Amino acid sequence: LVVPILVSLLATAMAWPLARVLSRTGSAPGARVWWVLAACVPMVLPMSVGYAGWSTLRTPAWASGRMLENLGGRASEWAGYVIGVLSLVVWLVPICAVVLSLSLARLSREHEDLLALETARGVRGAARRLRVRLGVCRGGLASSFVLAVLLAPPSAVPITLANIPTIAIGLWAE
């Protein structure tokens, strides 16, 4: 259960910038549809392709692979775990972004103008603006997270390829 929750948290967080772009697309007929289709292109590829591509970075032919060899121990195994989780996250980001963009679209230009007039500058002002945006979008964030939690276990090909100890791996090993 830890892996789907971690994957969902990362996918929802990484979906925020893409969701902002999708929510701000032009009002021309069909413009939003094309942006959503373009955002979902990574989902066309099987998840195992992403895992295999990123796993080449662990081979000794690459500097990162040689560094993992020099670290010794279980460094390469942990790198495989990270690659497996990130492969699944990248696959889930477009789904989370589409769901989150529907919530972000509720932030009207008036909201953005009022947030721009925020008197506090620097980190404090940015924190206030983020808190308002998160407050308006909390339903979309929750929906995005729950959807990712529900989709992560059945589509966990990279997790399986990385041999991350999950219940399914334990059952198959018996």
Side-chain angles (χ1 to χ4, degrees), residues 60-132:
W62 290 79
S64 55
R66 288 190 297 276
M67 181 187 71
L68 288 172
E69 274 185 355
N70 292 339
L71 288 174
R74 298 179 59 184
S76 183
E77 182 181 345
W78 280 99
Y81 293 169
V82 170
I83 289 170
V85 166
L86 288 179
S87 296
L88 187 55
V89 166
V90 167
W91 189 81
L92 285 171
V93 162
I95 298 169
C96 293
V98 169
V99 171
L100 193 53
S101 72
L102 298 173
S103 180
L104 277 170
R106 289 183 19 203
L107 276 172
S108 64
R109 282 288 173 214
E110 290 80 20
H111 284 105
E112 293 295 334
D113 290 342
L114 287 173
L115 289 174
L117 293 174
E118 175 65 43
T119 57
R121 297 288 175 214
V123 174
R124 191 169 164 189
R128 282 185 184 173
R129 288 187 293 275
L130 180 64
R131 192 171 45 237
V132 168

Side-chain angles (χ1 to χ4, degrees), residues 5-162:
I5 290 174
L6 174 67
V7 166
S8 300
L9 282 173
L10 291 173
T12 303
M14 288 177 64
W16 183 271
L18 181 59
R20 293 224 3 140
V21 170
L22 292 177
S23 68
R24 301 288 181 238
T25 55
S27 59
R32 184 175 174 84
V33 172
W34 286 108
W35 277 102
V36 168
L37 288 174
C40 292
V41 165
M43 296 182 65
V44 176
L45 294 173
M47 288 178 281
S48 58
V49 171
Y51 177 79
W54 287 8
S55 287
T56 59
L57 296 174
R58 295 190 305 167
T59 63
W62 290 79
S64 55
R66 288 190 297 276
M67 181 187 71
L68 288 172
E69 274 185 355
N70 292 339
L71 288 174
R74 298 179 59 184
S76 183
E77 182 181 345
W78 280 99
Y81 293 169
V82 170
I83 289 170
V85 166
L86 288 179
S87 296
L88 187 55
V89 166
V90 167
W91 189 81
L92 285 171
V93 162
I95 298 169
C96 293
V98 169
V99 171
L100 193 53
S101 72
L102 298 173
S103 180
L104 277 170
R106 289 183 19 203
L107 276 172
S108 64
R109 282 288 173 214
E110 290 80 20
H111 284 105
E112 293 295 334
D113 290 342
L114 287 173
L115 289 174
L117 293 174
E118 175 65 43
T119 57
R121 297 288 175 214
V123 174
R124 191 169 164 189
R128 282 185 184 173
R129 288 187 293 275
L130 180 64
R131 192 171 45 237
V132 168
R133 286 187 181 108
L134 291 176
V136 171
C137 301
R138 68 178 169 264
L141 286 167
S143 300
S144 174
F145 175 77
V146 168
L147 184 62
V149 165
L150 292 174
L151 288 176
S155 53
V157 172
I159 304 298
T160 305
L161 291 174

